[in-house]
Amino acid sequence: MTRLITFSSGKGGVGKTTITTNIAAALHKFGKDVILVDGNVSTPNVSVILGMPRLPITLHDVLSGKAKLEQSIYLHTSGLKVIPAGLSVKHMNLKMRKKMAKVLNDLIGETEFALIDSAAGLGNEAKQAIEAGDELILITNPEIHALTDALKAYEFAKRVGVKPLGVILNRVNNRDWEMTKENVEEFLELPVIGMIPEDENVKRSIAMKQPLVYAFPHSPASRAIKKLAARMIGEDYRTLEPETITEKILRILGFYG
Ligand SMILES: Nc1ncnc2c1ncn2[C@@H]1O[C@H](COP(=O)(O)OP(=O)(O)OP(=O)(O)O)[C@@H](O)[C@H]1O
Ligand SMILES: [Mg+2]
């Protein structure tokens, strides 16, 4: 069975591409068959952060009917399968965007997971990405304006019958002005399924063109993302990735919890 999951936020810049890419990488690391789809066709980022910017066939070519979906699947050096979006917006029109759900439906039966990164906002493109998924994960920051926008994305998903899995709170600093897990659950009426801390290794990993979970597997955000990915497949993170002696020493010394 293929799970088609869209990651959406309403508000831009909250970490959709970062989280989608790293959950895909973590699921791949745990032995799952995963395809990461750049559903943000007007301002694509997935291939850029993974250091694969010039690819001959992209989702644009599939949407315009010039190529078959299987021709647009690439293997990143990490082993993750990626369907990039074209970096040029020249030939992207509304008709093509509307085909996204239909085109991505062809992934059913081809992979265990297809994770779709979506565009910011709630314009046509973001809506198309939500409709292309069977399930939705909302990503937000612990701030009220990000939550308000996430609520709009959630309302749209409900209207079109996409199943919400929950909310990921990203860039958590545990400061007193931040919305808490309980605030978020009450506001959105959805469970918080992951809390990803602010972690400067995210930016380091992007500079290295590698997913964080590969480049800095023990960093705080990396561990939170792996925990969440394990939860998505009904497994315990520590069973999938038992603690090493070094990690144990660092934990006991208080470097992380
Ligand atoms: N947990 C984190 N810790 C530190 N920096 C982060 C974290 N998550 C994301 N970032 C940074 O936040 C910025 C925005 O992240 P990202 O591009 O993933 O957001 P986005 O929601 O996909 O944006 P857009 O709406 O423009 O597509 C990037 O510079 C990224 O490095
Ligand atoms: Mg993005």
Side-chain angles (χ1 to χ4, degrees):
M1 201 189 94
T2 302
R3 290 180 67 183
L4 277 170
I5 308 176
T6 302
F7 290 72
S8 184
S9 64
K11 188 175 180 306
V14 299
K16 287 179 297 299
T17 305
T18 305
I19 301 298
T20 314
T21 302
N22 279 287
I23 291 182
L27 289 170
H28 169 70
K29 205 172 189 191
F30 296 154
K32 296 292 167 191
D33 195 11
V34 188
I35 300 181
L36 171 62
V37 182
D38 196 341
N40 183 351
V41 284
S42 59
T43 51
N45 283 154
V46 168
S47 56
V48 178
I49 74 167
L50 289 176
M52 42 201 310
R54 279 184 214 92
L55 298 167
I57 297 174
T58 67
L59 189 57
H60 283 65
D61 301 301
V62 183
L63 293 172
S64 65
K66 285 192 203 134
K68 291 198 165 69
L69 188 65
E70 59 267 27
Q71 292 175 285
S72 69
I73 304 176
Y74 296 84
L75 200 59
H76 183 250
T77 51
S78 62
L80 182 63
K81 286 185 214 156
V82 179
I83 297 182
L87 296 183
S88 156
V89 291
K90 264 197 303 216
H91 304 297
M92 182 54 61
N93 56 37
L94 183 62
K95 202 168 143 216
M96 282 157 67
R97 284 186 197 127
K98 282 191 168 166
K99 274 176 72 183
M100 198 188 295
K102 192 170 175 293
V103 158
L104 295 182
N105 221 37
D106 285 353
L107 290 173
I108 291 173
E110 299 300 321
T111 180
E112 287 175 277
F113 284 91
L115 303 193
I116 307 164
D117 180 26
S118 73
L122 209 54
N124 213 281
E125 189 181 333
K127 285 181 174 164
Q128 288 302 314
I130 292 175
E131 289 196 86
D134 297 321
E135 299 171 287
L136 172 85
I137 291 184
L138 287 172
I139 303 186
T140 186
N141 298 142
E143 294 152 12
I144 188 65
H145 56 309
L147 279 180
T148 315
D149 290 356
L151 181 63
K152 290 180 196 155
Y154 176 33
E155 294 290 338
F156 175 75
K158 275 199 287 196
R159 269 211 311 279
V160 293
V162 174
K163 182 183 168 200
L165 289 179
V167 190
I168 297 175
L169 267 180
N170 186 36
R171 308 195 73 160
V172 174
N173 279 302
N174 292 317
R175 307 300 290 263
D176 55 8
W177 55 82
E178 290 180 7
M179 304 286 284
T180 63
K181 178 175 182 283
E182 291 71 27
N183 295 154
V184 175
E185 289 182 336
E186 193 184 340
F187 187 84
L188 291 174
E189 295 181 4
L190 274 177
V192 169
I193 56 171
M195 309 226 336
I196 318 298
E198 176 78 25
D199 183 344
E200 62 182 24
N201 292 307
V202 169
K203 291 189 200 309
R204 279 200 190 101
S205 69
I206 292 171
M208 291 163 69
K209 302 179 173 68
Q210 288 295 326
L212 174 79
V213 295
Y214 283 92
F216 299 101
H218 308 302
S219 76
S222 205
R223 287 183 305 115
I225 288 167
K226 284 188 283 185
K227 253 187 220 166
L228 171 56
R231 184 174 168 182
M232 283 169 65
I233 52 173
E235 301 271 2
D236 174 56
Y237 165 52
R238 276 303 176 209
T239 312
L240 292 170
E241 217 177 75
E243 192 174 47
T244 62
I245 304 263
T246 318
E247 281 181 276
K248 190 171 180 174
I249 294 168
L250 289 173
R251 179 170 55 79
I252 290 167
L253 291 176
F255 284 95
Y256 50 72

